[in-house]
Amino acid sequence: GWGFGEEGVRLAEALQVLDSDRYPSKKQAKKAIKYGSIVVDGERGTHDTLVFNSSRVAVQGRTSEAFGMAAFRRDGGELPFTIKVLYQDNCMAAVHKPPGVNS
């Protein structure tokens, strides 16, 4: 486990532990949370979200070129894929995902 204890820790603190390169400060972690970039156990993370050792935390990145989701594994690595956006507008997105990645 990550050592978050039975009570868990707030998401901003957990991000600093899980990826200190991307989130070296609480301010940067809070910014990612504010913009909706963090998903915890399938739900959009908020400043009040608690993270436990069993939680699955993912970081979503969205640009006009690609939408990628890097899920933190227990070993600290990231899943080795990105999802290419074929089309997107305000209502819909069409993506090409790698084989074997659940939708």
Side-chain angles (χ1 to χ4, degrees), residues 4 7-20 23 25-52 55-60 72:
F4 294 149
E7 301 83 28
V9 298
R10 292 207 185 267
L11 181 54
E13 296 168 24
L15 289 174
Q16 290 180 275
V17 171
L18 295 170
D19 193 345
S20 60
Y23 307 105
S25 70
K26 192 177 282 190
K27 181 178 179 180
Q28 287 177 305
K30 286 182 174 183
K31 187 175 181 180
I33 296 166
K34 176 182 176 184
Y35 291 115
S37 301
I38 311 299
V39 176
V40 179
D41 296 326
E43 300 288 329
R44 180 180 169 193
T46 68
H47 296 290
D48 295 325
T49 299
L50 292 177
V51 177
F52 302 92
S55 296
R56 183 174 174 94
V57 179
V59 179
Q60 297 184 32
F72 293 107

Side-chain angles (χ1 to χ4, degrees), residues 45-81:
T46 68
H47 296 290
D48 295 325
T49 299
L50 292 177
V51 177
F52 302 92
N53 287 330
S54 61
S55 296
R56 183 174 174 94
V57 179
V59 179
Q60 297 184 32
R62 183 174 177 177
T63 68
S64 59
E65 298 169 6
F67 172 85
M69 187 167 200
F72 293 107
R73 299 185 311 202
R74 286 212 175 253
D75 64 6
E78 294 182 356
L79 297 177
F81 65 85

